[in-house]
Amino acid sequence: MNLAAHLVRNAARMPDRPALALGTQTVATWAQMAAQVAALAGGLRGLGLDRGARIAIVAENTPDYARALYAIWHAGLAAVPLNSKLHAKELAYCFDHSEAALVLHSRDMAKTVADAQPRPNTMQMGSAAWQALAAAPPIAMAEAATDDLAWLFYTSGTTGKPKGAMLTHGNLLAMALSYFVDIDSPSPGGAILHAAPMSHGSGLYMLPMVLIGNTQVIPASGHFDPAEIAGLFRHWPDVTMFAAPTMVKRLVTHDGARDPGNLRTIVWGGAPMYVADLELAIQRYGYRFAQLYGQGESPMCISGLTRAAIEAAHKTGDTALLASAGTAQSVVEIRIAEDGEICVRGQSVMKGYWRDPAATARALRDGWLHTGDVGEIDARGVLTLKDRSKDLIISGGSNIYPREVEEVLQTHPAVAEVSVVGAPDAEWGEQVVAYVVLRAGIAATQAELDALCLAQIARFKRPKRYRFVAALPKNAYGKILKTELRMQEQAHVEAGAKTP
Ligand code: AMP
């Protein structure tokens, strides 16, 4: 089944309801969006693209993003949504690797795309050529098999080259349906606010939300601005939003965003949310939070926590559940391998990596996706993520999970962000180092942070060294690059060894 069928269905059953909006302005009803998409699809096919050809999209969040994505599917092509924050060199790699036949990009991305010197054709959304495409005779939706490639999802690549996870129409349909069974039950008249990149986290939310006919709202600024978001919470009904934990924190602590308005649910994911931050978020906005744990290779679908589960855990003081990644979603099974690695199999799991049999064989073994994440499942079926195995610190033979130390440091009012890594140590193998970003205008001394750790965790886990920094290194998706922090530590050790 072709995912674009949901759009065709909405055009029939709710033609005049708002489908796409920029800020508070509706820019298309479902009938209009479906007509635009069918015409764009006709235009794309008119370019002579073969069925299944890959079309890259490089754009910030815009209404055209949603149109382009559905037009690609309607035409029987495959989408390659790429993060607009990638470097031109990284984009060039993805264009080449996916053998993209066409690159659709926004005006703001024109220079970066040109710098990437793509071999394929490019087309700027909104340009005259694009308008011509959009004026083509509409075509009927192409057939798509469950197993056909829909979305080539380049992994964020905190290490090594990005890999293209092949997500099929069947994978994404299972993912969309699972949202309503396992995460939340938004009302059909609601809205989804795309404040995170549509090339990644937020784009996936388009699928369940188009399925039930929620208005796709793109902030007019095109990015995450807490005051603007709060205004949109007031304007649109029953609003759902996906946010990374850092965005949740920025939002709930922003003076201009005190009122949650018609916010229904913020679903967080992509990284762990510290319990202290979740408690603060609940204090500000109430029980309007749900969690998803997934990865590009099984998008939105490994485990999760509903709003009700979070509310119950918060009221009963079940911090273990609040700190966990919840229970397995209904379309997957989870197994913990002997070495602690979380393995998943089910309908949402990718078909493999695009043109990379070696990486596919490493990731998919005996039908199980090896996530690279480490975790535990308790008797209740609750999955708790430990750190990725390469992030684990082994000091004096003892295992130290950075997350546990970060949870403690994060409770200090002066700490804005923290990341704990292992640094080489001649005596202990590794020693614990904490990189700390302090909140503007509030101070914390090393002695204070040390006392906090001594009061809450075993002595051997506390950082031996603190490095107060202005910012933490992050990748294009905002994930902290522990690899880079470890390299800095290595450099410190080498510099130290050279001094007599
Ligand atoms: P990506 O493939 O870029 O979406 O990154 C997926 C990775 O982000 C996962 O393998 C986890 O390491 C991490 N992640 C995603 N969701 C969560 C979550 N809810 N809690 C903790 N870590 C998460």
Side-chain angles (χ1 to χ4, degrees), residues 235-256:
H235 181 82
W236 293 98
D238 210 43
V239 180
T240 298
M241 182 172 91
F242 163 76
T246 47
M247 290 165 67
V248 175
K249 194 166 178 181
R250 272 183 60 201
L251 186 66
V252 301
T253 54
H254 195 276
D255 282 341

Short mmCIF file of all heavy atoms in Angstrom, two decimals, residues 235-256:
data_model
loop_
_atom_site.label_atom_id
_atom_site.label_comp_id
_atom_site.label_asym_id
_atom_site.label_seq_id
_atom_site.Cartn_x
_atom_site.Cartn_y
_atom_site.Cartn_z
N HIS A 235 -3.19 29.08 19.34
CA HIS A 235 -4.00 29.24 18.13
C HIS A 235 -4.67 27.94 17.67
O HIS A 235 -5.85 27.93 17.32
CB HIS A 235 -3.15 29.80 16.99
CG HIS A 235 -3.93 30.01 15.72
ND1 HIS A 235 -4.69 31.14 15.52
CD2 HIS A 235 -4.11 29.21 14.64
CE1 HIS A 235 -5.29 31.03 14.34
NE2 HIS A 235 -4.96 29.88 13.79
N TRP A 236 -3.89 26.85 17.60
CA TRP A 236 -4.40 25.60 17.02
C TRP A 236 -5.00 24.71 18.09
O TRP A 236 -4.56 24.72 19.22
CB TRP A 236 -3.27 24.88 16.26
CG TRP A 236 -2.84 25.64 15.04
CD1 TRP A 236 -1.76 26.47 14.94
CD2 TRP A 236 -3.51 25.71 13.78
NE1 TRP A 236 -1.70 27.03 13.69
CE2 TRP A 236 -2.77 26.58 12.96
CE3 TRP A 236 -4.65 25.10 13.27
CZ2 TRP A 236 -3.14 26.87 11.65
CZ3 TRP A 236 -5.03 25.39 11.95
CH2 TRP A 236 -4.27 26.27 11.16
N PRO A 237 -6.00 23.89 17.72
CA PRO A 237 -6.60 22.99 18.71
C PRO A 237 -5.80 21.70 18.88
O PRO A 237 -5.16 21.24 17.94
CB PRO A 237 -7.98 22.68 18.10
CG PRO A 237 -7.78 22.81 16.63
CD PRO A 237 -6.69 23.83 16.41
N ASP A 238 -5.83 21.16 20.08
CA ASP A 238 -5.31 19.82 20.36
C ASP A 238 -3.96 19.57 19.68
O ASP A 238 -3.81 18.68 18.83
CB ASP A 238 -6.34 18.77 19.89
CG ASP A 238 -6.27 17.50 20.74
OD1 ASP A 238 -6.17 17.62 21.97
OD2 ASP A 238 -6.31 16.39 20.15
N VAL A 239 -2.96 20.34 20.10
CA VAL A 239 -1.67 20.34 19.41
C VAL A 239 -0.74 19.23 19.91
O VAL A 239 -0.56 19.06 21.12
CB VAL A 239 -0.94 21.70 19.59
CG1 VAL A 239 0.39 21.70 18.86
CG2 VAL A 239 -1.82 22.84 19.12
N THR A 240 -0.15 18.52 18.98
CA THR A 240 0.90 17.55 19.28
C THR A 240 2.21 18.12 18.74
O THR A 240 2.22 18.81 17.72
CB THR A 240 0.63 16.20 18.58
OG1 THR A 240 -0.60 15.67 19.06
CG2 THR A 240 1.74 15.19 18.84
N MET A 241 3.30 17.85 19.45
CA MET A 241 4.60 18.32 18.95
C MET A 241 5.67 17.31 19.35
O MET A 241 5.65 16.81 20.46
CB MET A 241 4.93 19.69 19.55
CG MET A 241 6.22 20.27 19.05
SD MET A 241 6.46 21.96 19.61
CE MET A 241 7.34 21.68 21.12
N PHE A 242 6.59 17.03 18.42
CA PHE A 242 7.75 16.22 18.79
C PHE A 242 8.87 17.18 19.17
O PHE A 242 9.08 18.20 18.51
CB PHE A 242 8.21 15.35 17.61
CG PHE A 242 9.62 14.84 17.81
CD1 PHE A 242 9.86 13.80 18.70
CD2 PHE A 242 10.69 15.43 17.16
CE1 PHE A 242 11.16 13.35 18.92
CE2 PHE A 242 11.99 14.98 17.38
CZ PHE A 242 12.21 13.94 18.26
N ALA A 243 9.58 16.88 20.23
CA ALA A 243 10.71 17.72 20.62
C ALA A 243 11.82 16.87 21.22
O ALA A 243 11.55 15.90 21.94
CB ALA A 243 10.26 18.76 21.63
N ALA A 244 13.04 17.25 20.93
CA ALA A 244 14.18 16.62 21.59
C ALA A 244 14.21 17.17 23.02
O ALA A 244 13.72 18.27 23.26
CB ALA A 244 15.46 16.97 20.85
N PRO A 245 14.79 16.40 23.96
CA PRO A 245 14.79 16.86 25.35
C PRO A 245 15.34 18.27 25.55
O PRO A 245 14.82 19.04 26.37
CB PRO A 245 15.65 15.82 26.06
CG PRO A 245 15.47 14.58 25.25
CD PRO A 245 15.34 15.05 23.83
N THR A 246 16.35 18.66 24.80
CA THR A 246 16.90 20.01 24.97
C THR A 246 15.86 21.07 24.57
O THR A 246 15.80 22.14 25.16
CB THR A 246 18.16 20.22 24.10
OG1 THR A 246 17.89 19.73 22.79
CG2 THR A 246 19.36 19.49 24.66
N MET A 247 15.04 20.76 23.58
CA MET A 247 13.99 21.70 23.16
C MET A 247 12.92 21.81 24.25
O MET A 247 12.42 22.90 24.53
CB MET A 247 13.32 21.22 21.86
CG MET A 247 14.20 21.30 20.64
SD MET A 247 13.52 20.32 19.27
CE MET A 247 12.03 21.22 18.88
N VAL A 248 12.58 20.67 24.85
CA VAL A 248 11.56 20.69 25.91
C VAL A 248 12.03 21.61 27.02
O VAL A 248 11.28 22.46 27.51
CB VAL A 248 11.32 19.26 26.47
CG1 VAL A 248 10.36 19.29 27.64
CG2 VAL A 248 10.81 18.33 25.37
N LYS A 249 13.29 21.48 27.38
CA LYS A 249 13.81 22.28 28.48
C LYS A 249 13.79 23.77 28.14
O LYS A 249 13.40 24.61 28.94
CB LYS A 249 15.23 21.81 28.80
CG LYS A 249 15.75 22.33 30.12
CD LYS A 249 16.97 21.59 30.53
CE LYS A 249 17.54 22.11 31.82
NZ LYS A 249 18.74 21.40 32.20
N ARG A 250 14.21 24.08 26.92
CA ARG A 250 14.21 25.49 26.51
C ARG A 250 12.81 26.07 26.52
O ARG A 250 12.58 27.20 26.90
CB ARG A 250 14.81 25.62 25.11
CG ARG A 250 16.33 25.79 25.14
CD ARG A 250 16.87 25.98 23.76
NE ARG A 250 16.35 27.16 23.08
CZ ARG A 250 16.36 27.31 21.76
NH1 ARG A 250 16.85 26.37 20.99
NH2 ARG A 250 15.89 28.40 21.22
N LEU A 251 11.87 25.24 26.08
CA LEU A 251 10.49 25.71 25.97
C LEU A 251 9.89 25.97 27.35
O LEU A 251 9.35 27.06 27.60
CB LEU A 251 9.67 24.65 25.22
CG LEU A 251 8.25 24.99 24.87
CD1 LEU A 251 8.20 26.14 23.87
CD2 LEU A 251 7.53 23.78 24.29
N VAL A 252 9.96 24.99 28.23
CA VAL A 252 9.26 25.12 29.50
C VAL A 252 9.91 26.14 30.43
O VAL A 252 9.28 26.62 31.37
CB VAL A 252 9.07 23.76 30.24
CG1 VAL A 252 8.29 22.78 29.39
CG2 VAL A 252 10.38 23.17 30.69
N THR A 253 11.18 26.47 30.18
CA THR A 253 11.83 27.46 31.05
C THR A 253 11.80 28.85 30.41
O THR A 253 12.34 29.79 30.97
CB THR A 253 13.31 27.07 31.33
OG1 THR A 253 13.97 26.87 30.07
CG2 THR A 253 13.41 25.82 32.16
N HIS A 254 11.15 28.98 29.27
CA HIS A 254 11.11 30.28 28.58
C HIS A 254 9.98 31.14 29.14
O HIS A 254 8.85 30.67 29.25
CB HIS A 254 10.91 30.04 27.08
CG HIS A 254 11.21 31.25 26.25
ND1 HIS A 254 10.30 32.24 26.05
CD2 HIS A 254 12.34 31.63 25.61
CE1 HIS A 254 10.84 33.19 25.31
NE2 HIS A 254 12.09 32.83 25.02
N ASP A 255 10.32 32.38 29.49
CA ASP A 255 9.31 33.26 30.10
C ASP A 255 8.11 33.48 29.18
O ASP A 255 6.98 33.63 29.64
CB ASP A 255 9.93 34.62 30.45
CG ASP A 255 10.73 34.51 31.72
OD1 ASP A 255 10.50 33.52 32.46
OD2 ASP A 255 11.60 35.37 31.96
N GLY A 256 8.38 33.51 27.86
CA GLY A 256 7.29 33.76 26.92
C GLY A 256 6.47 32.51 26.60
O GLY A 256 5.60 32.55 25.72
#
